[in-house]
Amino acid sequence: MNTAMKNEKAKPRKTTDRGELRTDDLEVIYDSDAGKTVALSSTSLTINPGEFVCVLGPSGCGKSTLLNVIAGFVRPTGGEALLDGQAIEQPGADRSMVFQQHSLLPWKTVRANIGLGPKLLGDIEANSTVNHFIEMVGLKKYEHHYPDQLSGGMQQRVGIARALATFPRVLLMDEPFAALDYQTRLMMQENLLNLWEELGTTVVFVTHDVDEAIFLSDRILVMSASPGRIVKDIANPLPRPRDQMISSEPKFMAIKRDCMEIIRAESLRTF
Ligand SMILES: Nc1ncnc2c1ncn2[C@@H]1O[C@H](COP(=O)(O)OP(=O)(O)OP(=O)(O)O)[C@@H](O)[C@H]1O
Ligand SMILES: [Mg+2]
């Protein structure tokens, strides 16, 4: 692991008053040839600026739909989503998304992929922005490589650097580490917390993995299917900075038990 990526010491959190997300009574009904699907129903939430919120829930409960509404890719059929009080109506540079599989341009190098956003936005310091983020994700040695010359973990690190290089107010992450092996996933989680602690960006992170949600978050939203909605909002007071050893502590176990109880009850209800 690159030394720049190690969880060496506590970094001061940047405080910011931007990046507040709110959804009011959000509803998304997809209407396709196969019929209507209620993907989200009565979904109201507030996420504070700089907060790290994880969304947990079974397949098909509307997690990606929620992220897509916040990203501006999907228009709700009811209610609204707001960023800093402004209704979200389309995608914008103030929100970035990282997907489960990397969505890098295969014909561009690591450097060019990360630089795309800053250049499009007219960042006059695009080159130094790119240098900064390549260093932050520990890929200086690979800056002239192409995506298919990198491991899965490295590709995701490029994806995260690319998402952050436009200095978004909100980082949306849709199971970004799900395709990685266990050890790489743990390393990526620590790396992500280091980046977040430095930048103070609001993060909404979707996962199926209860341990991952507890390790990363300030708060966990548990969703349920039929219809998709938030059934529980669990505060996560575990101290920061964190490393993976925290998962063996009683406080971690207690939060895990809360999450498991809710997931189990909801599974039985919808079975
Ligand atoms: N474009 C679409 N057209 C029609 N139905 C859709 C569309 N996208 C999602 N759905 C349906 O909406 C529901 C929620 O889907 P969504 O992808 O948000 O779930 P998810 O919680 O992210 O699931 P997973 O954990 O498997 O990624 C599902 O029933 C899905 O089949
Ligand atoms: Mg999904």
Side-chain angles (χ1 to χ4, degrees):
M1 181 176 158
N2 186 296
T3 47
M5 302 294 289
K6 281 186 187 160
N7 193 358
E8 292 152 337
K9 58 182 182 342
K11 296 189 183 94
R13 287 294 317 281
K14 262 195 185 167
T15 51
T16 166
D17 55 356
R18 305 219 308 168
E20 185 208 56
L21 284 171
R22 220 176 75 213
T23 70
D24 289 331
D25 237 354
L26 209 59
E27 175 202 78
V28 175
I29 300 176
Y30 292 109
D31 196 355
S32 66
D33 294 345
K36 291 192 177 191
T37 306
V38 182
L40 280 181
S41 166
S42 311
T43 300
S44 297
L45 59 85
T46 301
I47 297 177
N48 298 316
E51 202 174 14
F52 198 129
V53 170
C54 283
V55 181
L56 264 180
S59 187
C61 73
K63 302 181 297 299
S64 297
T65 300
L66 178 62
L67 287 195
N68 284 328
V69 169
I70 296 169
F73 299 144
V74 167
R75 292 295 299 271
T77 46
E80 62 177 351
L82 302 108
L83 172 57
D84 294 322
Q86 299 286 313
I88 294 170
E89 288 171 349
Q90 58 190 13
D94 45 17
R95 287 145 289 146
S96 288
M97 181 91 104
V98 179
F99 300 93
Q100 181 174 345
Q101 299 293 344
H102 82 80
S103 55
L104 305 172
L105 300 176
W107 60 90
K108 286 193 183 283
T109 62
V110 165
R111 211 185 153 78
N113 266 290
I114 297 173
L116 205 62
K119 282 183 182 147
L120 281 172
L121 291 176
D123 178 352
I124 50 168
E125 293 178 12
N127 273 333
S128 63
T129 301
V130 173
N131 286 338
H132 180 69
F133 282 98
I134 288 179
E135 292 279 358
M136 274 182 99
V137 297
L139 289 176
K140 185 72 189 150
K141 273 195 334 205
Y142 297 89
E143 63 178 335
H144 300 301
H145 282 57
Y146 289 87
D148 67 358
Q149 297 170 324
L150 304 175
S151 70
M154 287 170 171
Q155 289 167 346
Q156 284 306 69
R157 277 193 264 164
V158 180
I160 293 169
R162 185 183 63 172
L164 290 173
T166 52
F167 297 99
R169 282 183 248 171
V170 178
L171 180 63
L172 303 167
M173 308 188 82
D174 198 352
E175 303 190 53
F177 307 148
L180 303 176
D181 66 84
Y182 178 71
Q183 281 189 339
T184 308
R185 196 158 73 230
L186 297 190
M187 192 189 81
M188 295 292 292
Q189 291 166 359
E190 289 195 1
N191 293 344
L192 175 62
L193 283 190
N194 288 343
L195 291 171
W196 170 73
E197 282 173 7
E198 192 154 318
L199 296 168
T201 313
T202 305
V203 180
V204 189
F205 186 108
V206 164
T207 179
H208 284 109
D209 182 336
V210 178
D211 291 84
E212 181 168 73
I214 300 170
F215 179 66
L216 292 173
S217 70
D218 292 320
R219 199 145 62 91
I220 301 168
L221 304 176
V222 183
M223 289 186 69
S224 174
S226 314
R229 69 207 159 88
I230 294 165
V231 288
K232 196 78 183 179
D233 186 337
I234 301 173
N236 178 357
L238 290 177
R240 297 186 188 274
R242 299 172 188 166
D243 65 37
Q244 296 290 352
M245 297 314 291
I246 204 166
S247 63
S248 57
E249 291 186 13
K251 284 180 287 190
F252 188 104
M253 303 287 191
I255 300 169
K256 187 166 178 175
R257 199 167 46 242
D258 282 354
C259 292
M260 301 297 285
E261 271 173 17
I262 295 154
I263 291 168
R264 184 168 177 276
E266 281 303 311
S267 307
L268 290 173
R269 190 186 64 77
T270 55
F271 189 66

